[in-house]
Amino acid sequence: MLSYQHAFHAGNHADVFKHLTLALITKAYCRKDKPFVYFDAQAAAALYALDDERALQTGEAESGILPLMQKPLAELIKGKLDCALKAENAENNEEAIKEAFEIFEEYLNFCTRLKDSSGLYPGSPAVVCNFARPKDQLVLMELHSSEIENLKANVELIKNGI
């Protein structure tokens, strides 16, 4: 079995990019009336403490999610929305660009609320759950034996609104 444990890498820049992509995809699925099923074959723990010794050992969240949560969104995206809207062919995608920025804001607000209320950072299952509707389903799997119990406990937290 592979020894990769996501708790060491939670909140790094690639994690943030992946979560933003998942949020965009989930919101797109939610535009359809029909429910969807999200399958995650490597769900890991679904929630993480960024002050956990494993996360602190690598410090990857320090250059990933943490700086994003510490600045007002307006400061983070200052000029970027205007730049994106001025880009070639932007007039055809203006609504999509604006929606992407709104989802980015919603994702950061979710991460901040979760950290402020519970001290936790969302993994992919929690991100999808946040953006999904009650009629959508998540199927979560984890092979790493030490994470299975964490996943089960954290799914209960997610179901109860953390």
Side-chain angles (χ1 to χ4, degrees):
M1 171 177 19
L2 297 174
S3 63
Y4 178 88
Q5 288 190 315
H6 190 59
F8 287 96
H9 310 286
N12 70 21
H13 68 283
D15 209 31
V16 172
F17 181 77
K18 175 183 67 175
H19 291 165
L20 286 170
T21 303
L22 277 172
L24 287 164
I25 292 168
T26 304
K27 289 291 251 187
Y29 280 141
C30 289
R31 283 195 290 269
K32 303 286 186 183
D33 202 33
K34 190 173 183 176
F36 68 87
V37 178
Y38 168 75
F39 287 90
D40 193 332
Q42 299 164 343
L47 295 170
Y48 304 92
L50 296 180
D51 59 356
D52 174 270
E53 66 183 45
R54 295 168 295 177
L56 292 174
Q57 181 179 336
T58 62
E60 293 179 16
E62 293 293 329
S63 60
I65 191 64
L66 292 175
L68 296 176
M69 292 184 345
Q70 293 168 356
K71 292 182 181 177
L73 184 67
E75 186 180 327
L76 287 171
I77 65 170
K78 185 178 182 183
K80 292 182 176 49
L81 178 58
D82 289 338
C83 183
L85 291 173
K86 289 177 187 172
E88 187 177 338
N89 297 320
E91 65 276 356
N92 298 333
N93 299 309
E94 186 172 337
E95 288 304 313
I97 292 168
K98 287 181 179 177
E99 181 185 15
F101 276 88
E102 289 170 6
I103 292 170
F104 180 44
E105 180 177 26
E106 193 175 341
Y107 166 71
L108 288 178
N109 288 339
F110 170 58
C111 290
T112 301
R113 280 192 320 272
L114 185 60
K115 185 174 184 289
D116 290 348
S117 67
S118 66
L120 298 173
Y121 167 75
S124 297
V127 170
V128 172
C129 191
N130 178 69
F131 286 93
R133 303 158 300 188
K135 64 183 177 179
D136 302 319
Q137 296 180 353
L138 281 72
V139 176
L140 308 176
M141 298 163 268
E142 178 53 46
L143 183 60
H144 207 288
S145 57
S146 66
E147 291 288 16
I148 292 170
E149 290 307 314
N150 291 333
L151 177 60
K152 287 179 184 178
N154 289 338
V155 164
E156 286 305 311
L157 289 174
I158 293 167
K159 283 182 183 177
N160 294 322
I162 306 172

